[in-house]
Amino acid sequence: MLDYKNSKLIIDTGSLSGGSVSWHSPSNIAIVKYWGKHGRQLPRNPSISFTLDQAHTHTTVKYRARKGIGNDIQFRFFFDNLPKPEFEGKIRKFLESLVEIFPFLKQLDLDIYSSNSFPHSAGIASSASGMSALALCLCDLERTFFGTLSEEAAFLQKASYIARLGSGSACRSIYPTMALWGQTPALEHSSDLFAVPFVEALHPIFHDFHNDILIISKGAKSVSSRAGHQLMEDHIYAEDRYGQARQRMLRLLDAMKAGDLQDFGHICEQEALTLHALMMSSNTPFMLMEPNTIAAIRKVWEFRRLQHVPVYFTLDAGPNLHLLYPHRYAEQVGAFVTESLLPLCQDGQYIADRVGKGPVKMESAQ
Ligand code: PMV
């Protein structure tokens, strides 16, 4: 079993001058969903997502040697350049969970600066982009101090592993185009511990797929995904669901290799509705869809039936609809979105996103 614990990663702080590392990391949208976990953030079933382009987090970690070595981790967190002590609890827990992997964290004084490309209140989950950006910065610190992780593949695998510990779905944001997380016989080297890229076998039609995010509601979610995962533990459909997700993964990968849009779209929409059906049928039921989510789904179905355009929807753990379609239909779908879907969005807001190239290291701080 892969274990990144390494007590040797201790810095000679006497010779350490301060510095910074900076990464820009995208959000992702799952097609087969991760919903249900066990142990230390391990998935109950494999999941796969498109890496996005426009929706991303930019994180800079500034470091200097700390005076003496403490038992805790010394850091401050800034969001959009303003101190955000209310976010520090989650980050502290995450960093403290990493001290056996990165023991040098206790030797440093850190300032963490983060900002999102999308409005904080847009109702878009930022944990995947935020946690992956931070994980990349931490692995970059290791590389800077110790010269380890010099091979790209090793660097990305560790970043994905670390991102997973912050937020499960974040481990998939490390790779361009598409990434798969969770062991499946459908993909060699797939693992529950980190995501792996799914790109070489992917049919070209998916490489420039669009993903329009329709902001149906900007409100904060009433139930966190953490609580949602928890509710799967005694869910009456849990075992059937995990089996179903494994089966759908096999079918989906076949469809995505073959460029079979119809089969892709069918599984994609089934997964979105299954996720929300699981929420509604848990022991403490909850509902994240809004009336306009359903109205928009009906519009998509009608448009597809009448226009024969392969446009499909998926949903995250929230009310906002993600529209997925090949680039060559962008004009037609754009007109449909403007005319029929934007009136259903809060303040007519949407983000025209598409499949992206993955995280980028930024050279200059901030
Ligand atoms: O990574 P978490 O714990 O926020 O869970 C995310 C779960 C979904 O977004 C609903 C599905 C997924 O696979 O991304």
Side-chain angles (χ1 to χ4, degrees), residues 194-216:
F194 46 79
V196 292
F198 179 70
V199 69
E200 272 162 37
L202 185 65
H203 190 278
I205 196 151
F206 295 106
H207 285 247
D208 61 358
F209 238 51
H210 284 244
N211 176 64
D212 293 342
I213 311 170
L214 302 163
I215 313 295
I216 301 289

Side-chain angles (χ1 to χ4, degrees), residues 24-29 50-58 115-119 124-125 129 209-213 350-358:
H24 166 130
S25 189
S27 187
N28 67 69
I29 180 69
F50 281 115
T51 300
L52 299 182
D53 183 45
Q54 297 295 312
H56 61 257
T57 298
H58 186 136
S115 58
N116 292 337
S117 62
F118 44 90
I124 300 179
S129 54
F209 238 51
H210 284 244
N211 176 64
D212 293 342
I213 311 170
Y350 87 114
I351 297 173
D353 211 338
R354 55 196 298 176
V355 169
K357 295 188 169 56

Side-chain angles (χ1 to χ4, degrees), residues 28 30 32-35 47 127 167-169 172 225 229 275 316-317:
N28 67 69
V32 172
K33 310 287 183 183
Y34 151 60
W35 200 241
S47 59
S127 65
S167 169
S169 59
R172 298 184 311 238
S225 57
H229 289 295
L275 172 70
D316 233 332

